[in-house]
Amino acid sequence: MLKAIIIDSSAVARGLLNTVLQDGGYDVAGQAHTCAAGVALMIKHNPHIVCIALEQVENDLDGMREIKAKWPKALIFMVSSQLDAATIQSAHAMGVNGFIVKPFKADTVLNTIRNVVIAMVKRQRAAMAALAPKPEEDSAAAE
């Protein structure tokens, strides 16, 4: 089961997203109202997924950089009610993997996360396949 942390200043948004994730089969290990509190939860739980509100990223760019540096394999989803092209582009540059739009629609949230997880697994498999020796190399080395 994939472990998640939710970082959002809105208790209502955290609660709703918590319900969506738990109903979708994710283990929500913790919720935080600030980036600093979220980092503390991440140290404790080492999550696979981080859902972080746009305003938390904007208010604490250093916290976002710390999350990306210390948990490079964690999938980061930006949560916001307004996502314009410039915001999406800068979020991608910071290492955000996906976007969750408020108000939450359970199916959309779960599909977004699932699609990003599947894409990541495909990229990892392709990278591993590229590193693996080819069968003809194995037989040549054995001779």
Side-chain angles (χ1 to χ4, degrees):
M1 180 180 292
L2 294 178
K3 210 180 314 180
I5 297 288
I6 300 169
I7 305 171
D8 195 320
S9 60
S10 167
V12 172
R14 287 193 314 268
L16 290 170
L17 189 52
N18 180 67
T19 300
V20 168
L21 292 174
Q22 285 185 334
D23 289 350
Y26 294 93
D27 173 20
V28 178
Q31 301 177 33
H33 66 289
T34 65
C35 215
V39 168
L41 286 172
M42 292 181 71
I43 291 168
K44 182 177 181 181
H45 298 288
N46 198 26
H48 304 99
I49 296 171
V50 180
C51 298
I52 184 167
L54 172 62
E55 69 270 6
Q56 295 304 315
V57 174
E58 292 174 340
N59 293 338
D60 191 354
L61 286 174
D62 289 337
M64 180 65 180
R65 287 186 194 105
E66 181 180 2
I67 289 170
K68 226 21 220 171
K70 291 185 177 176
W71 294 274
K73 293 183 179 179
L75 297 175
I76 300 174
F77 292 88
M78 184 176 283
V79 181
S80 180
S81 58
Q82 297 177 350
L83 292 170
D84 56 47
T87 302
I88 291 170
Q89 187 173 17
S90 66
H92 275 300
M94 283 187 281
V96 171
N97 301 95
F99 301 90
I100 297 172
V101 180
K102 295 178 185 178
F104 304 121
K105 293 183 182 168
D107 290 345
T108 305
V109 170
L110 297 174
N111 283 334
T112 298
I113 294 171
R114 182 179 61 83
N115 290 341
V116 170
V117 169
I118 288 170
M120 180 199 66
V121 169
K122 285 181 179 178
R123 279 193 305 272
Q124 286 178 340
R125 286 185 179 164
M128 289 174 63
L131 293 175
K134 294 179 178 48
E136 59 273 3
E137 291 174 3
D138 286 342
S139 62
E143 293 174 7

